[in-house]
Amino acid sequence: MDLRFKDELARMPDLRHRLRRLRWFRSTFRANASAITATYGVGYKIDESRLTAAFLDWIETLETDKRLASVDRADFIIFAAGMVLCELIRRNPATAVLHEDARPEAPQSLVTAEIIKFWPEGFLYTNYCVAVVAAVHEQEFDQAPALDKCADDLRVWWSYRENVREMPAYAVAFLDRFLGGEPNWIAPAHATSRSAMQRALNGLTPDKPTIGAANP
């Protein structure tokens, strides 16, 4: 994963609310794509109609769960990003374009470069959502979630791509995993089934069992 774009996002005031506006969503998504191109030499052709559709589908889905932001805001931010990722994968607005004359900036992570080569569109969508979570958490809580080492494991990305092709909602669970959280593999798109939400709703602390939570 490459989080250099996170710093650019974090400089935008009130990022959490800005990204709920189509103009800001589209511009930041394109900026993330440009950052990847500059660093790794992989360009992207972006279909604006598909990108807009992904945004509108996300907003509609999020509307039904927005009350949960007051239950556990930190976890809801991650869930919301996971739902963005789900819609981006489902609508697939980007197509990778390799520029033969590209001269990537140095240094670049060889591990990340391999992941991009394997699944350039999936990396773009995931890197954007991880950067958004990191930037919003820094603004809201002064600390970004720590990335799990599996985020740089190509074998995990193989599983990730295969699973989301069958069920895009698994993107939510994989994002949780990349961010060191507790994935809900049974109902990843149901916010109330998340372990953190279960604990908050039932007044439990993290070291106590949750009621009805799905096993990862």
Side-chain angles (χ1 to χ4, degrees), residues 73-131:
R73 192 161 86 253
D75 187 64
F76 187 77
I77 290 167
I78 296 174
F79 171 74
M83 293 305 296
V84 172
L85 181 56
C86 172
E87 296 302 336
L88 287 171
I89 288 173
R90 190 167 67 87
R91 290 289 184 174
N92 196 27
T95 303
V97 179
L98 180 61
H99 298 299
E100 294 182 0
D101 59 345
R103 291 180 173 82
E105 296 174 354
Q108 57 173 290
S109 165
L110 294 179
V111 173
T112 302
E114 282 298 310
I115 292 172
I116 294 173
K117 181 179 179 181
F118 166 68
W119 189 20
E121 295 85 3
F123 179 84
L124 169 64
Y125 307 148
T126 308
N127 197 73
Y128 175 71
C129 292
V130 169

Side-chain angles (χ1 to χ4, degrees), residues 2 22 31 33-34 59 69 73 77 87 104 118 124-125 130 142 152 175-176 178 193 195 199 205 208 212 215:
D2 192 322
L22 178 59
S34 296
I59 289 294
R73 192 161 86 253
I77 290 167
E87 296 302 336
F118 166 68
L124 169 64
Y125 307 148
V130 169
D142 297 321
D152 291 323
L175 185 66
D176 283 327
F178 291 155
S193 297
S195 295
R199 287 192 291 266
T205 56
K208 295 181 181 179
N215 293 324

Side-chain angles (χ1 to χ4, degrees), residues 19 74 114 119 136 149 155 164-165 206 209:
L19 291 180
E114 282 298 310
W119 189 20
V136 173
K149 62 182 181 180
R155 295 168 300 178
V164 297
R165 280 179 171 176

Side-chain angles (χ1 to χ4, degrees), residues 195 198-199 202-213:
S195 295
Q198 285 280 309
R199 287 192 291 266
N202 291 290
L204 301 175
T205 56
D207 59 340
K208 295 181 181 179
T210 56
I211 299 173

Side-chain angles (χ1 to χ4, degrees), residues 44-104:
Y44 294 96
K45 181 180 179 181
I46 297 174
D47 186 317
E48 291 293 344
S49 63
R50 289 189 179 188
L51 185 60
T52 298
F55 173 82
L56 295 176
D57 289 345
W58 170 60
I59 289 294
E60 182 179 353
T61 301
L62 208 61
E63 192 67 22
T64 61
D65 293 315
K66 66 180 183 180
R67 63 181 179 82
L68 294 172
S70 62
V71 176
D72 187 330
R73 192 161 86 253
D75 187 64
F76 187 77
I77 290 167
I78 296 174
F79 171 74
M83 293 305 296
V84 172
L85 181 56
C86 172
E87 296 302 336
L88 287 171
I89 288 173
R90 190 167 67 87
R91 290 289 184 174
N92 196 27
T95 303
V97 179
L98 180 61
H99 298 299
E100 294 182 0
D101 59 345
R103 291 180 173 82

Side-chain angles (χ1 to χ4, degrees), residues 127-140:
N127 197 73
Y128 175 71
C129 292
V130 169
V132 165
V133 169
V136 173
H137 269 236
E138 279 193 2
Q139 288 187 354
E140 300 277 330

